[in-house]
Amino acid sequence: MLITLVTSVIGTCYALNVILSLFILVVAFNKQVILELFPLKTSTMPKPLIIVEVLAATFSELPLHLLFVKYISIQITWLFGGFRYTLPWLLSFLDYITLFGLFLLFVESWKEDAVVQEAIKDMAGGDPADSVDSIMSTSYAKRIMNPLWTPKDIVMYPNITYATNEELTEAIERTNDHDQPRKMALDIYKSTKTPKNSGLRPVLVHIHGGAWTVGDKNTLYPHEKTLLTEENWIIVNVGFRLAPVNPYPIHLMDIKRALRYLKRCISTFGGDPNFIVLSGDSSGGHLAAMTAFTANEPEYQPGFENVDTSVKGVISINGSLDIQSDSHRGEFFAKKVAMKDTIDTEFLSKHSPVDLVGKAKENGLLVPFLVITGSRDAIVDCSIGQRFKKNYDQVVDEKAINSQCAFVQLPAAHHIFHVSWSPRSLYTSRLIQIWCQQTYNKNK
């Protein structure tokens, strides 16, 4: 009786696993399935859309690991007699389709080095100075096998408060929440192998995503790890207050407060306050672009209007660079992020980076951009990055080497492809590394 119960449970679990895996595999290859099942029709971002997109990205970035898990699940089901039942046995044939699909996802990721190579070539104006190393090399293979691989030769300075005492007090009084000041902090990373005579090193400041409402600064991304270990850059992850408790543009003001601190103090950590590049993913890409385009604007620097908050470049990874062309997304930003009662189109235009390129050019704030998008991103469509690139190029002289927008569209990438190590994120990290070094060298 007990054996029968165990085998039936295992068989049922296996059957459910096959069905779920096949569904995720389908959406990993076709984002339209996600959008048709979970359309954005209201001012609220559908949670099922986010969950399915994250699962699709997991399948796309970790197919080898999932192949191994699949193999183990088949062996366990066979060992405990789960295939004695007709349904699990029949579904096992579908599971082989999933296994083959996972292999194809790995091949897709592997072959995207060609897209990155072409992008590097375009940035260099000819043949790339450095090719993208093969993922089969020993140093990179171990990263592919361990998606969370982090170098040992780095030191972290966590939870450094960047706000003044008055700002911290105001944050508490405004929300009656004593936890708010904890969000106004940053983490600084540096390599322990940086030569002592290397001078002040360039700084990358990353702004996390999360639809302006969730997320934190605790993830060290692959491109940050690459810059740390191979170029000795100083890396900063910034935390900031979130909606709905803190309506936008408080997010933007907090990022500028962090820049105020870094301009004054990053040199004590070995960083160059005169060379800071911003990177951001999803909503963090929006905040990075807005920070660059509103540098030194008193409206967003209350109490520190005279502090220089300019930066040298911006990296947008699936960034929300357009918040109003889609009416539902505009409604979401206006009502759920800025916490306004109505949809204010003037306000949305004022805070939509894709519409501010011309103004940034007029104000001398159009810094170099690297815009990376994924064709299969179901949360931030790749067309947003395409429009930003188009608008940027329309206002910039091709000969203006200090103001250029490099655009890379990865054919099979989903929204969070860059979070852990995979062939695709490894290639992208190398691309970001080369772009950062080129931007830095042009500013020397």
Side-chain angles (χ1 to χ4, degrees):
M1 185 70 176
L2 180 60
I3 295 177
T4 302
L5 177 62
V6 171
T7 56
S8 63
V9 169
I10 291 177
T12 301
C13 290
Y14 175 78
L16 293 174
N17 175 272
V18 172
I19 296 171
L20 178 61
S21 298
L22 191 59
F23 168 72
I24 298 173
L25 181 70
V26 170
V27 298
F29 279 106
N30 189 350
K31 75 173 184 180
Q32 290 304 320
V33 176
I34 305 177
L35 296 175
E36 290 175 6
L37 289 175
F38 312 108
L40 183 63
K41 293 183 177 180
T42 66
S43 61
T44 302
M45 186 73 70
K47 290 184 179 179
L49 168 66
I50 298 172
I51 293 172
V52 173
E53 172 63 17
V54 168
L55 291 173
T58 303
F59 266 54
S60 296
E61 303 309 313
L62 305 176
L64 293 183
H65 304 78
L66 292 171
L67 274 170
F68 178 74
V69 172
K70 273 288 181 185
Y71 173 77
I72 295 299
S73 69
I74 291 172
Q75 295 302 311
I76 291 176
T77 304
W78 175 82
L79 181 64
F80 286 92
F83 291 129
R84 297 175 185 174
Y85 299 94
T86 303
L87 181 60
W89 179 77
L90 290 175
L91 289 176
S92 67
F93 293 98
L94 290 179
D95 219 10
Y96 288 110
I97 297 177
T98 301
L99 293 174
F100 181 68
L102 287 170
F103 175 74
L104 289 181
L105 287 174
F106 174 76
V107 172
E108 281 187 334
S109 180
W110 189 357
K111 288 186 175 181
E112 285 195 358
D113 67 325
V115 178
V116 173
Q117 290 280 19
E118 188 63 28
I120 295 173
K121 180 179 179 180
D122 291 342
M123 289 191 305
D127 292 331
D130 294 303
S131 61
V132 178
D133 296 331
S134 170
I135 62 172
M136 302 307 294
S137 63
T138 304
S139 60
Y140 291 142
K142 65 181 180 182
R143 303 183 191 187
I144 301 302
M145 291 296 101
N146 180 7
L148 302 179
W149 178 86
T150 299
K152 296 180 180 179
D153 52 347
I154 61 174
V155 60
M156 172 187 177
Y157 303 92
N159 300 319
I160 300 173
T161 300
Y162 56 72
T164 64
N165 289 335
E166 292 77 12
E167 291 166 347
L168 295 174
T169 300
E170 188 275 336
I172 295 174
E173 292 178 345
R174 195 183 63 78
T175 62
N176 196 29
D177 180 3
H178 286 74
D179 192 54
Q180 290 301 315
R182 297 178 184 272
K183 303 179 186 298
M184 305 170 74
L186 52 82
D187 299 334
I188 297 176
Y189 300 83
K190 63 182 295 185
S191 172
T192 58
K193 294 185 177 180
T194 304
K196 293 183 179 180
N197 60 352
S198 64
L200 296 178
R201 301 302 301 154
V203 181
L204 177 82
V205 178
H206 186 78
I207 306 169
H208 69 79
W212 302 273
T213 60
V214 296
D216 56 50
K217 60 180 173 56
N218 298 333
T219 300
L220 188 65
Y221 294 90
H223 71 276
E224 296 179 291
K225 298 173 184 178
T226 299
L227 286 171
L228 266 172
T229 58
E230 299 188 23
E231 301 295 348
N232 295 316
W233 278 48
I234 304 298
I235 302 299
V236 181
N237 280 356
V238 178
F240 49 91
R241 289 171 289 172
L242 302 167
V245 176
N246 300 282
Y248 179 90
I250 287 179
H251 312 59
L252 179 60
M253 295 177 185
D254 280 355
I255 301 300
K256 289 174 175 286
R257 291 184 176 103
L259 284 175
R260 174 188 61 190
Y261 171 85
L262 294 172
K263 296 273 186 174
R264 294 173 178 173
C265 302
I266 196 62
S267 60
T268 62
F269 298 91
D272 184 353
N274 296 314
F275 191 87
I276 297 176
V277 169
L278 301 179
S279 72
D281 57 311
S282 193
S283 59
H286 167 268
L287 292 172
M290 286 302 303
T291 301
F293 286 170
T294 61
N296 306 325
E297 285 195 20
E299 180 181 358
Y300 307 113
Q301 299 182 196
F304 58 106
E305 292 84 356
N306 297 323
V307 174
D308 177 23
T309 56
S310 63
V311 296
K312 298 299 184 182
V314 173
I315 302 165
S316 169
I317 306 174
N318 288 330
S320 302
L321 301 176
D322 184 352
I323 60 170
Q324 72 160 346
S325 62
D326 182 297
S327 60
H328 300 302
R329 295 179 188 275
E331 183 180 2
F332 170 78
F333 189 85
K335 294 185 176 181
K336 301 299 182 180
V337 179
M339 307 309 294
K340 294 184 174 297
D341 295 329
T342 60
I343 302 174
D344 186 341
T345 55
E346 182 179 352
F347 172 84
L348 292 176
S349 296
K350 188 178 179 181
H351 294 278
S352 188
V354 73
D355 297 321
L356 299 179
V357 177
K359 181 181 177 182
K361 175 67 164 54
E362 294 174 0
N363 295 336
L365 299 175
L366 195 58
V367 298
F369 266 74
L370 171 58
V371 177
I372 302 172
T373 67
S375 296
R376 293 178 183 171
D377 187 346
I379 295 178
V380 179
D381 193 82
C382 58
S383 62
I384 291 177
Q386 294 169 354
R387 288 197 297 274
F388 184 88
K389 166 67 172 174
K390 180 181 179 181
N391 289 359
Y392 193 110
D393 289 348
Q394 287 177 345
V395 303
V396 173
D397 185 347
E398 293 182 358
K399 297 180 180 180
I401 61 173
N402 289 326
S403 295
Q404 293 294 330
C405 179
F407 175 76
V408 182
Q409 183 170 327
L410 301 172
H414 283 267
H415 191 64
I416 58 168
F417 76 89
H418 57 286
V419 172
S420 61
W421 289 108
S422 68
R424 184 177 292 110
S425 68
L426 193 151
Y427 299 145
T428 306
S429 296
R430 181 65 69 200
L431 169 70
I432 293 174
Q433 176 189 10
I434 293 174
W435 182 87
C436 284
Q437 282 301 111
Q438 287 184 355
T439 304
Y440 179 56
N441 292 335
K442 289 176 183 177
N443 281 270
K444 282 186 176 180

